[in-house]
Amino acid sequence: MPAPQKTLRVGLIGAGLIARQHLLAIAQNPGVAAVGIASRTRDKAQVLADEFGVPLVADSPAELAQAARPDALMILVSPQAVAQVALDCLGLRLPLFLEKPVGLCVAEAEAVALAARRAGVPGMVGFNRRHYSVFAKGLEILRERGRLLAVHVEGSERMALARSSGRFSEEVLRAWIFANATHTIDLLRHFGGEPEEVCAFSASLREPLGDQFAACLRFPGGTLGSYAANWHSPGGWGVVLKGEGVSVEFRPLETGRAIFADGTVRDITPDAAEKGLKAGFAGQLAAFADMVRTGRLAPPSQDLDGALLTMRLAERLAGRPVPLG
Ligand SMILES: NC(=O)c1ccc[n+]([C@@H]2O[C@H](COP(=O)([O-])OP(=O)(O)OC[C@H]3O[C@@H](n4cnc5c(N)ncnc54)[C@H](OP(=O)(O)O)[C@@H]3O)[C@@H](O)[C@H]2O)c1
């Protein structure tokens, strides 16, 4: 019988909405325990700690590391703060989980990836959609029948909602292509691999880095792809995978269906383990725990270098947006 695994002790930095989602996932994983929270506003961290029975609240990552002796840290702070907090944490020499985005531009993501490499600190970036069980099931159905022929991603953002919510600073809203649209841009790489050719157009109705995007891509093996996003029009996020005699659709991303050449349709449903949790969070946490234990990050998770490739692809898709009249 294999020896029982030691419980992995994680410390959380940040006490907002997403920290709560990670704590829910941790509560359902018997191999992981949250041993402390450090955040900007101590009271908010205390409320979260009380709700989830986290034994320590600290004023800084260094204090958290010293007092709670975690095996790893999860950086779950506001988008504009992730890169700097990550740089500040590297000296603690603990494996890191970082929420996306690792910075609001490619240069910031490059700086963190380089500094982490130099410090020898492993990092995993929270592209949780890579861990959707419906995606794995859909790909399996497609691959049973042959090759992946095409990947089509719609990544329309609800920009008016993001702006009116009051939750995001102007610098985050201006960098929305990196701050949030990278979730769907990353799916191009997740399904297709590293694009070998990209032909991208962008235009701007209101956002300086663009809010209308159309791109064609060619992936290894000849798989073709497209990316379309129109941030001021109803739509949302969707993925369509084309295979040999089968199409697999995810719209919304959390549910799927496979359509076969004879017209039959099969629903693709999420794993029971994901119930009650933000989709992908159970698998994402298990992958992070595995990375901390083994020192290796297995696909489909993304390390800092992988996340950097997604940021670079976002920059490529944004191009130089043409102003719309
Ligand atoms: N994977 C996903 O699907 C997903 C979904 C949503 C968000 N996210 C990402 O998760 C991150 C957090 O988002 P959220 O919705 O949880 O935001 P939020 O509710 O605003 O929470 C952010 C938390 O970080 C704290 N914080 C900010 N700057 C800090 C710093 N320099 N040092 C320590 N703590 C700091 C804030 O402190 P205060 O309490 O003082 O404000 C707050 O507790 C963002 O990077 C976002 O992009 C990912």
Side-chain angles (χ1 to χ4, degrees):
M1 214 167 73
Q5 274 185 339
K6 181 177 152 283
T7 300
L8 193 80
R9 300 163 57 81
V10 296
L12 277 59
I13 320 290
L17 295 176
I18 214 68
R20 194 165 191 287
Q21 295 299 326
H22 285 287
L23 283 165
L24 286 167
I26 290 169
Q28 288 207 10
N29 186 324
V32 184
V35 294
I37 307 180
S39 193
R40 188 170 55 186
T41 308
R42 192 184 173 94
D43 290 355
K44 286 200 214 161
Q46 190 65 58
V47 169
L48 213 50
D50 290 346
E51 182 184 349
F52 287 92
V54 180
L56 182 101
V57 172
D59 286 319
S60 69
E63 186 193 323
L64 168 60
Q66 232 236 318
R69 300 274 164 212
D71 300 310
L73 293 177
M74 301 183 82
I75 299 178
L76 314 172
V77 299
S78 319
Q80 68 276 19
V82 175
Q84 189 56 54
V85 171
L87 290 171
D88 294 345
C89 286
L90 288 177
L92 301 172
R93 295 281 192 276
L94 290 170
L96 299 178
F97 174 92
L98 303 92
E99 261 303 344
K100 45 54 63 180
V102 186
L104 297 180
C105 62
V106 169
E108 270 191 301
E110 275 170 354
V112 178
L114 180 65
R117 218 177 299 134
R118 283 189 177 146
V121 170
M124 171 177 169
V125 181
F127 287 111
N128 58 301
R129 278 148 190 95
R130 286 177 172 257
H131 294 275
Y132 278 15
S133 56
V134 290
F135 287 175
K137 290 176 191 176
L139 270 178
E140 198 181 319
I141 292 170
L142 190 144
R143 287 196 177 127
E144 275 166 7
R145 284 157 183 82
R147 288 159 293 185
L148 174 64
L149 305 177
V151 178
H152 301 295
V153 173
E154 181 180 352
S156 293
E157 299 285 323
R158 296 185 196 134
M159 204 56 219
L161 199 65
R163 281 202 167 273
S164 64
S165 71
R167 291 194 57 224
F168 306 103
S169 66
E170 183 58 29
E171 66 171 329
V172 171
L173 291 164
R174 285 174 73 90
W176 201 249
I177 183 101
F178 301 110
N180 209 58
T182 39
H183 265 310
T184 52
I185 292 169
D186 183 62
L187 293 179
L188 290 164
R189 296 183 51 246
H190 172 56
F191 288 113
E194 302 311 330
E196 292 175 343
E197 275 186 85
V198 178
C199 175
F201 299 95
S202 65
S204 163
L205 183 64
R206 293 189 199 118
E207 301 302 327
L209 294 186
D211 44 33
Q212 314 295 319
F213 305 91
C216 301
L217 305 96
R218 193 168 56 77
F219 295 101
T223 301
L224 300 181
S226 69
Y227 178 77
N230 306 91
W231 294 3
H232 298 290
S233 315
W237 291 357
V239 169
V240 179
L241 305 177
K242 296 290 182 183
E244 298 183 52
V246 60
S247 296
V248 182
E249 296 182 355
F250 306 97
R251 182 185 287 280
L253 294 181
E254 290 70 24
T255 61
R257 57 186 206 139
I259 305 143
F260 301 97
D262 65 1
T264 54
V265 176
R266 191 194 306 170
D267 285 335
I268 304 170
T269 51
D271 281 348
E274 293 190 347
K275 211 161 183 241
L277 297 180
K278 188 168 168 62
F281 268 43
Q284 175 177 260
L285 179 65
F288 178 57
D290 214 42
M291 182 196 85
V292 179
R293 289 196 177 102
T294 65
R296 285 188 316 276
L297 184 64
S301 303
Q302 288 293 278
D303 62 11
L304 285 158
D305 291 326
L308 177 56
L309 291 174
T310 290
M311 293 284 277
R312 286 189 180 135
L313 181 56
E315 189 175 64
R316 191 87 192 276
L317 297 179
R320 287 170 200 268
V322 175
L324 285 165

